[in-house]
Amino acid sequence: MESEQIIAALKEATTVPVEAVREATSRRDEMVPILTGVVARAADTPMAALAGEDGLLFLAVHLLGSWRATSAYRTVADLLAQDAGKIDTLLGDAVTLTIHRVMFNLFDGDPGPLMDLVENPAADCHVRRRMLDTMGMLTAAGRIERSVMSDYLLRLQGNLAGDGDGIVSSGWAELIAQLGFAELRGAVEQSFCAGIVDPQFLSREDFERMLADAQAGDLMVGVGDEFRPFGDIVAELGGWTVRDDWDDEAGEEEIEQEVARIAQTLRLREPALAGWDAPGSSAMAFPGMPSIGVGGQQTVLNPYRYVGRNDPCPCGSGRKFKRCCGQWR
């Protein structure tokens, strides 16, 4: 395959195109600047002009990460500084599941771009939090000095603008625990008392538990592979949908009909799996959402309780859930 054919295959793919990925990997030196250019264009181009290129961009970022193409580090960082809506459309669940691991691989020795993202009040809050995790991974690996990281985290105390929901600040406190910085415990407690760190994201008990684990030698212990460097793209993303065939053809009425149909099927098959609330509890008011009566009360059915945002929508449209019935919900 020529490079143009590889790009075309990546652009048209809805799942990881194994053959095109293998061809691209065999021509890595040629493809790195091409894919870096794809990322740079996405960062500089309005979302409306990128229609149909979300899959290509998604695969380009992950290929560069799997290849440890450090020359693309700053270009990907520039992309991640874009507004939350654009980032969600282009990268989807990668924002929370893989991008911090990709950036670990791309790191060129300068933490400046990561720091800029963490402190950027206009950047997506989940990106900002995950860049803290990238810095934590680099610190645990000895690629950022602990003293440098400790000083930086102290400087961030109370200075994370644009974090209205407390997601970044909670990540800040968790990272202090994950790296075993007991000397910053007081700064975290002050942030708890000031309401900067939200207990729904991180409790004091969890902070102390993680801090104790880190001091015992277990640094950056996440869930599963959460803090492992990004690996082979086929193995990592084999079950993902990487591009949505979303053409806005499904109107609200059509989506409501699909919601009602799937809810009815689940109600007949296994009501317990479909309920948001326990039998007898008050129903949550969502217009058009089917419900069942228990003891004179209504319990709303949630037919999507076990469907992930990146999963194919169960209505059968072929789109991602978040771009189909998940959008209506």
mmCIF file of all heavy atoms in Angstrom, residues 253-289:
data_model
loop_
_atom_site.group_PDB
_atom_site.id
_atom_site.type_symbol
_atom_site.label_atom_id
_atom_site.label_comp_id
_atom_site.label_asym_id
_atom_site.label_seq_id
_atom_site.Cartn_x
_atom_site.Cartn_y
_atom_site.Cartn_z
ATOM 1 N N GLU A 253 -37.753 11.896 17.160
ATOM 2 C CA GLU A 253 -38.861 10.947 17.198
ATOM 3 C C GLU A 253 -38.365 9.525 16.974
ATOM 4 O O GLU A 253 -38.795 8.585 17.664
ATOM 5 C CB GLU A 253 -39.903 11.316 16.140
ATOM 6 C CG GLU A 253 -41.116 10.391 16.145
ATOM 7 C CD GLU A 253 -42.150 10.814 15.122
ATOM 8 O OE1 GLU A 253 -41.978 11.895 14.509
ATOM 9 O OE2 GLU A 253 -43.123 10.063 14.930
ATOM 10 N N GLU A 254 -37.461 9.345 16.001
ATOM 11 C CA GLU A 254 -36.924 8.010 15.717
ATOM 12 C C GLU A 254 -36.173 7.469 16.930
ATOM 13 O O GLU A 254 -36.315 6.295 17.284
ATOM 14 C CB GLU A 254 -35.987 8.071 14.516
ATOM 15 C CG GLU A 254 -35.339 6.735 14.173
ATOM 16 C CD GLU A 254 -34.318 6.865 13.057
ATOM 17 O OE1 GLU A 254 -34.308 7.905 12.374
ATOM 18 O OE2 GLU A 254 -33.539 5.917 12.882
ATOM 19 N N ILE A 255 -35.374 8.326 17.566
ATOM 20 C CA ILE A 255 -34.609 7.883 18.730
ATOM 21 C C ILE A 255 -35.541 7.525 19.878
ATOM 22 O O ILE A 255 -35.348 6.526 20.569
ATOM 23 C CB ILE A 255 -33.602 8.970 19.148
ATOM 24 C CG1 ILE A 255 -32.557 9.149 18.051
ATOM 25 C CG2 ILE A 255 -32.921 8.617 20.464
ATOM 26 C CD1 ILE A 255 -31.583 10.279 18.303
ATOM 27 N N GLU A 256 -36.604 8.324 20.075
ATOM 28 C CA GLU A 256 -37.565 8.014 21.130
ATOM 29 C C GLU A 256 -38.212 6.654 20.890
ATOM 30 O O GLU A 256 -38.439 5.876 21.823
ATOM 31 C CB GLU A 256 -38.638 9.099 21.183
ATOM 32 C CG GLU A 256 -38.161 10.423 21.762
ATOM 33 C CD GLU A 256 -39.275 11.436 21.854
ATOM 34 O OE1 GLU A 256 -40.448 11.040 21.652
ATOM 35 O OE2 GLU A 256 -38.991 12.612 22.113
ATOM 36 N N GLN A 257 -38.528 6.351 19.632
ATOM 37 C CA GLN A 257 -39.127 5.066 19.309
ATOM 38 C C GLN A 257 -38.181 3.918 19.631
ATOM 39 O O GLN A 257 -38.600 2.868 20.139
ATOM 40 C CB GLN A 257 -39.524 5.037 17.834
ATOM 41 C CG GLN A 257 -40.667 5.971 17.487
ATOM 42 C CD GLN A 257 -40.929 6.056 15.994
ATOM 43 O OE1 GLN A 257 -40.160 5.517 15.188
ATOM 44 N NE2 GLN A 257 -41.998 6.731 15.607
ATOM 45 N N GLU A 258 -36.881 4.111 19.328
ATOM 46 C CA GLU A 258 -35.899 3.062 19.622
ATOM 47 C C GLU A 258 -35.754 2.877 21.128
ATOM 48 O O GLU A 258 -35.638 1.758 21.634
ATOM 49 C CB GLU A 258 -34.550 3.411 18.999
ATOM 50 C CG GLU A 258 -34.530 3.390 17.490
ATOM 51 C CD GLU A 258 -34.713 1.991 16.922
ATOM 52 O OE1 GLU A 258 -34.656 1.007 17.693
ATOM 53 O OE2 GLU A 258 -34.921 1.877 15.701
ATOM 54 N N VAL A 259 -35.733 3.980 21.866
ATOM 55 C CA VAL A 259 -35.644 3.890 23.330
ATOM 56 C C VAL A 259 -36.817 3.096 23.869
ATOM 57 O O VAL A 259 -36.660 2.192 24.699
ATOM 58 C CB VAL A 259 -35.604 5.301 23.952
ATOM 59 C CG1 VAL A 259 -35.778 5.218 25.467
ATOM 60 C CG2 VAL A 259 -34.301 5.999 23.614
ATOM 61 N N ALA A 260 -38.027 3.427 23.418
ATOM 62 C CA ALA A 260 -39.218 2.741 23.901
ATOM 63 C C ALA A 260 -39.193 1.257 23.545
ATOM 64 O O ALA A 260 -39.556 0.397 24.353
ATOM 65 C CB ALA A 260 -40.465 3.406 23.319
ATOM 66 N N ARG A 261 -38.742 0.957 22.305
ATOM 67 C CA ARG A 261 -38.714 -0.444 21.866
ATOM 68 C C ARG A 261 -37.761 -1.278 22.707
ATOM 69 O O ARG A 261 -38.100 -2.373 23.165
ATOM 70 C CB ARG A 261 -38.308 -0.521 20.390
ATOM 71 C CG ARG A 261 -38.228 -1.945 19.840
ATOM 72 C CD ARG A 261 -37.754 -1.956 18.393
ATOM 73 N NE ARG A 261 -36.408 -1.436 18.243
ATOM 74 C CZ ARG A 261 -35.303 -2.152 18.519
ATOM 75 N NH1 ARG A 261 -35.410 -3.388 18.983
ATOM 76 N NH2 ARG A 261 -34.109 -1.630 18.355
ATOM 77 N N ILE A 262 -36.533 -0.762 22.920
ATOM 78 C CA ILE A 262 -35.548 -1.527 23.685
ATOM 79 C C ILE A 262 -35.965 -1.639 25.141
ATOM 80 O O ILE A 262 -35.799 -2.685 25.774
ATOM 81 C CB ILE A 262 -34.163 -0.874 23.547
ATOM 82 C CG1 ILE A 262 -33.716 -0.920 22.089
ATOM 83 C CG2 ILE A 262 -33.129 -1.563 24.429
ATOM 84 C CD1 ILE A 262 -32.469 -0.127 21.794
ATOM 85 N N ALA A 263 -36.543 -0.564 25.690
ATOM 86 C CA ALA A 263 -37.005 -0.618 27.074
ATOM 87 C C ALA A 263 -38.095 -1.663 27.247
ATOM 88 O O ALA A 263 -38.119 -2.409 28.229
ATOM 89 C CB ALA A 263 -37.508 0.759 27.510
ATOM 90 N N GLN A 264 -39.012 -1.734 26.280
ATOM 91 C CA GLN A 264 -40.089 -2.716 26.347
ATOM 92 C C GLN A 264 -39.523 -4.128 26.277
ATOM 93 O O GLN A 264 -39.948 -5.023 27.033
ATOM 94 C CB GLN A 264 -41.075 -2.490 25.199
ATOM 95 C CG GLN A 264 -42.200 -3.523 25.112
ATOM 96 C CD GLN A 264 -43.178 -3.426 26.269
ATOM 97 O OE1 GLN A 264 -43.109 -2.468 27.046
ATOM 98 N NE2 GLN A 264 -44.069 -4.393 26.389
ATOM 99 N N THR A 265 -38.536 -4.350 25.415
ATOM 100 C CA THR A 265 -37.916 -5.674 25.305
ATOM 101 C C THR A 265 -37.263 -6.074 26.617
ATOM 102 O O THR A 265 -37.418 -7.206 27.097
ATOM 103 C CB THR A 265 -36.864 -5.674 24.181
ATOM 104 O OG1 THR A 265 -37.497 -5.350 22.954
ATOM 105 C CG2 THR A 265 -36.189 -7.031 24.071
ATOM 106 N N LEU A 266 -36.541 -5.153 27.219
ATOM 107 C CA LEU A 266 -35.878 -5.463 28.480
ATOM 108 C C LEU A 266 -36.878 -5.683 29.608
ATOM 109 O O LEU A 266 -36.679 -6.527 30.469
ATOM 110 C CB LEU A 266 -34.913 -4.333 28.855
ATOM 111 C CG LEU A 266 -33.612 -4.277 28.062
ATOM 112 C CD1 LEU A 266 -32.794 -3.071 28.493
ATOM 113 C CD2 LEU A 266 -32.807 -5.543 28.251
ATOM 114 N N ARG A 267 -37.959 -4.924 29.583
ATOM 115 C CA ARG A 267 -38.971 -5.084 30.633
ATOM 116 C C ARG A 267 -39.567 -6.487 30.603
ATOM 117 O O ARG A 267 -39.786 -7.114 31.636
ATOM 118 C CB ARG A 267 -40.078 -4.039 30.452
ATOM 119 C CG ARG A 267 -41.157 -4.154 31.526
ATOM 120 C CD ARG A 267 -42.172 -3.037 31.425
ATOM 121 N NE ARG A 267 -42.899 -3.073 30.166
ATOM 122 C CZ ARG A 267 -43.875 -2.220 29.856
ATOM 123 N NH1 ARG A 267 -44.191 -1.256 30.687
ATOM 124 N NH2 ARG A 267 -44.489 -2.312 28.703
ATOM 125 N N LEU A 268 -39.797 -6.988 29.411
ATOM 126 C CA LEU A 268 -40.380 -8.319 29.276
ATOM 127 C C LEU A 268 -39.361 -9.412 29.585
ATOM 128 O O LEU A 268 -39.696 -10.457 30.143
ATOM 129 C CB LEU A 268 -40.930 -8.510 27.861
ATOM 130 C CG LEU A 268 -42.101 -7.594 27.473
ATOM 131 C CD1 LEU A 268 -42.437 -7.792 26.003
ATOM 132 C CD2 LEU A 268 -43.308 -7.872 28.362
ATOM 133 N N ARG A 269 -38.106 -9.166 29.232
ATOM 134 C CA ARG A 269 -37.077 -10.191 29.378
ATOM 135 C C ARG A 269 -36.527 -10.258 30.794
ATOM 136 O O ARG A 269 -36.401 -11.323 31.379
ATOM 137 C CB ARG A 269 -35.940 -9.924 28.398
ATOM 138 C CG ARG A 269 -34.846 -10.985 28.431
ATOM 139 C CD ARG A 269 -33.672 -10.566 27.574
ATOM 140 N NE ARG A 269 -34.094 -10.215 26.227
ATOM 141 C CZ ARG A 269 -33.383 -9.466 25.406
ATOM 142 N NH1 ARG A 269 -32.220 -8.984 25.785
ATOM 143 N NH2 ARG A 269 -33.836 -9.193 24.198
ATOM 144 N N GLU A 270 -36.140 -9.107 31.349
ATOM 145 C CA GLU A 270 -35.481 -9.084 32.661
ATOM 146 C C GLU A 270 -35.637 -7.699 33.276
ATOM 147 O O GLU A 270 -34.744 -6.862 33.186
ATOM 148 C CB GLU A 270 -33.997 -9.431 32.513
ATOM 149 C CG GLU A 270 -33.255 -9.587 33.835
ATOM 150 C CD GLU A 270 -33.871 -10.639 34.719
ATOM 151 O OE1 GLU A 270 -33.897 -11.816 34.326
ATOM 152 O OE2 GLU A 270 -34.348 -10.266 35.805
ATOM 153 N N PRO A 271 -36.753 -7.441 33.930
ATOM 154 C CA PRO A 271 -36.993 -6.104 34.480
ATOM 155 C C PRO A 271 -35.905 -5.625 35.420
ATOM 156 O O PRO A 271 -35.585 -4.441 35.449
ATOM 157 C CB PRO A 271 -38.329 -6.271 35.217
ATOM 158 C CG PRO A 271 -38.992 -7.434 34.545
ATOM 159 C CD PRO A 271 -37.872 -8.355 34.152
ATOM 160 N N ALA A 272 -35.314 -6.525 36.193
ATOM 161 C CA ALA A 272 -34.317 -6.101 37.180
ATOM 162 C C ALA A 272 -33.092 -5.474 36.533
ATOM 163 O O ALA A 272 -32.441 -4.611 37.115
ATOM 164 C CB ALA A 272 -33.888 -7.293 38.041
ATOM 165 N N LEU A 273 -32.764 -5.925 35.325
ATOM 166 C CA LEU A 273 -31.591 -5.382 34.652
ATOM 167 C C LEU A 273 -31.861 -4.014 34.035
ATOM 168 O O LEU A 273 -30.947 -3.317 33.655
ATOM 169 C CB LEU A 273 -31.129 -6.336 33.542
ATOM 170 C CG LEU A 273 -30.537 -7.652 34.007
ATOM 171 C CD1 LEU A 273 -30.138 -8.480 32.783
ATOM 172 C CD2 LEU A 273 -29.330 -7.425 34.900
ATOM 173 N N ALA A 274 -33.142 -3.657 33.934
ATOM 174 C CA ALA A 274 -33.473 -2.423 33.250
ATOM 175 C C ALA A 274 -33.776 -1.270 34.196
ATOM 176 O O ALA A 274 -33.910 -0.143 33.765
ATOM 177 C CB ALA A 274 -34.675 -2.643 32.337
ATOM 178 N N GLY A 275 -33.914 -1.528 35.479
ATOM 179 C CA GLY A 275 -34.351 -0.489 36.399
ATOM 180 C C GLY A 275 -33.253 0.422 36.869
ATOM 181 O O GLY A 275 -32.190 -0.025 37.264
ATOM 182 N N TRP A 276 -33.508 1.745 36.844
ATOM 183 C CA TRP A 276 -32.597 2.702 37.462
ATOM 184 C C TRP A 276 -32.788 2.678 38.967
ATOM 185 O O TRP A 276 -31.857 2.806 39.730
ATOM 186 C CB TRP A 276 -32.909 4.105 36.950
ATOM 187 C CG TRP A 276 -32.233 4.408 35.667
ATOM 188 C CD1 TRP A 276 -31.242 3.676 35.075
ATOM 189 C CD2 TRP A 276 -32.491 5.504 34.803
ATOM 190 N NE1 TRP A 276 -30.872 4.250 33.902
ATOM 191 C CE2 TRP A 276 -31.615 5.373 33.715
ATOM 192 C CE3 TRP A 276 -33.378 6.575 34.843
ATOM 193 C CZ2 TRP A 276 -31.606 6.291 32.674
ATOM 194 C CZ3 TRP A 276 -33.363 7.491 33.811
ATOM 195 C CH2 TRP A 276 -32.488 7.354 32.743
ATOM 196 N N ASP A 277 -34.053 2.562 39.377
ATOM 197 C CA ASP A 277 -34.371 2.619 40.800
ATOM 198 C C ASP A 277 -34.803 1.254 41.292
ATOM 199 O O ASP A 277 -35.308 0.432 40.542
ATOM 200 C CB ASP A 277 -35.503 3.615 41.059
ATOM 201 C CG ASP A 277 -35.126 5.002 40.582
ATOM 202 O OD1 ASP A 277 -34.054 5.476 40.976
ATOM 203 O OD2 ASP A 277 -35.894 5.583 39.797
ATOM 204 N N ALA A 278 -34.613 0.998 42.559
ATOM 205 C CA ALA A 278 -35.076 -0.254 43.152
ATOM 206 C C ALA A 278 -36.595 -0.292 43.113
ATOM 207 O O ALA A 278 -37.260 0.742 43.153
ATOM 208 C CB ALA A 278 -34.575 -0.355 44.591
ATOM 209 N N PRO A 279 -37.197 -1.495 43.023
ATOM 210 C CA PRO A 279 -38.654 -1.592 43.000
ATOM 211 C C PRO A 279 -39.269 -0.835 44.168
ATOM 212 O O PRO A 279 -38.838 -0.972 45.321
ATOM 213 C CB PRO A 279 -38.906 -3.106 43.100
ATOM 214 C CG PRO A 279 -37.675 -3.709 42.496
ATOM 215 C CD PRO A 279 -36.559 -2.797 42.914
ATOM 216 N N GLY A 280 -40.261 -0.011 43.841
ATOM 217 C CA GLY A 280 -40.937 0.731 44.885
ATOM 218 C C GLY A 280 -40.394 2.112 45.102
ATOM 219 O O GLY A 280 -41.004 2.917 45.805
ATOM 220 N N SER A 281 -39.251 2.442 44.528
ATOM 221 C CA SER A 281 -38.688 3.771 44.719
ATOM 222 C C SER A 281 -39.309 4.732 43.719
ATOM 223 O O SER A 281 -39.898 4.334 42.725
ATOM 224 C CB SER A 281 -37.168 3.754 44.545
ATOM 225 O OG SER A 281 -36.834 3.356 43.243
ATOM 226 N N SER A 282 -39.171 6.009 44.000
ATOM 227 C CA SER A 282 -39.768 7.022 43.138
ATOM 228 C C SER A 282 -39.109 7.015 41.772
ATOM 229 O O SER A 282 -37.898 6.866 41.664
ATOM 230 C CB SER A 282 -39.608 8.403 43.778
ATOM 231 O OG SER A 282 -40.285 8.432 45.009
ATOM 232 N N ALA A 283 -39.902 7.216 40.750
ATOM 233 C CA ALA A 283 -39.368 7.218 39.391
ATOM 234 C C ALA A 283 -38.672 8.526 39.084
ATOM 235 O O ALA A 283 -39.039 9.576 39.593
ATOM 236 C CB ALA A 283 -40.508 6.996 38.391
ATOM 237 N N MET A 284 -37.663 8.449 38.233
ATOM 238 C CA MET A 284 -37.001 9.652 37.730
ATOM 239 C C MET A 284 -37.754 10.116 36.504
ATOM 240 O O MET A 284 -38.108 9.313 35.645
ATOM 241 C CB MET A 284 -35.535 9.353 37.399
ATOM 242 C CG MET A 284 -34.734 8.907 38.592
ATOM 243 S SD MET A 284 -33.072 8.378 38.124
ATOM 244 C CE MET A 284 -32.370 9.927 37.543
ATOM 245 N N ALA A 285 -38.017 11.387 36.406
ATOM 246 C CA ALA A 285 -38.882 11.910 35.357
ATOM 247 C C ALA A 285 -38.113 12.216 34.088
ATOM 248 O O ALA A 285 -37.446 13.242 33.993
ATOM 249 C CB ALA A 285 -39.594 13.162 35.845
ATOM 250 N N PHE A 286 -38.182 11.307 33.128
ATOM 251 C CA PHE A 286 -37.622 11.547 31.814
ATOM 252 C C PHE A 286 -38.742 11.340 30.797
ATOM 253 O O PHE A 286 -39.269 10.234 30.674
ATOM 254 C CB PHE A 286 -36.467 10.595 31.509
ATOM 255 C CG PHE A 286 -35.206 10.940 32.221
ATOM 256 C CD1 PHE A 286 -34.972 10.489 33.506
ATOM 257 C CD2 PHE A 286 -34.264 11.752 31.612
ATOM 258 C CE1 PHE A 286 -33.809 10.831 34.168
ATOM 259 C CE2 PHE A 286 -33.093 12.087 32.278
ATOM 260 C CZ PHE A 286 -32.868 11.627 33.554
ATOM 261 N N PRO A 287 -39.130 12.388 30.062
ATOM 262 C CA PRO A 287 -40.252 12.276 29.132
ATOM 263 C C PRO A 287 -40.056 11.145 28.133
ATOM 264 O O PRO A 287 -39.002 11.018 27.528
ATOM 265 C CB PRO A 287 -40.249 13.640 28.414
ATOM 266 C CG PRO A 287 -39.529 14.564 29.354
ATOM 267 C CD PRO A 287 -38.517 13.709 30.052
ATOM 268 N N GLY A 288 -41.117 10.337 27.979
ATOM 269 C CA GLY A 288 -41.077 9.294 26.969
ATOM 270 C C GLY A 288 -40.396 8.022 27.405
ATOM 271 O O GLY A 288 -40.440 7.028 26.699
ATOM 272 N N MET A 289 -39.744 8.013 28.579
ATOM 273 C CA MET A 289 -39.044 6.814 29.021
ATOM 274 C C MET A 289 -40.050 5.864 29.648
ATOM 275 O O MET A 289 -40.766 6.234 30.579
ATOM 276 C CB MET A 289 -37.960 7.172 30.046
ATOM 277 C CG MET A 289 -37.158 5.977 30.526
ATOM 278 S SD MET A 289 -36.132 5.274 29.215
ATOM 279 C CE MET A 289 -34.768 6.426 29.222
#
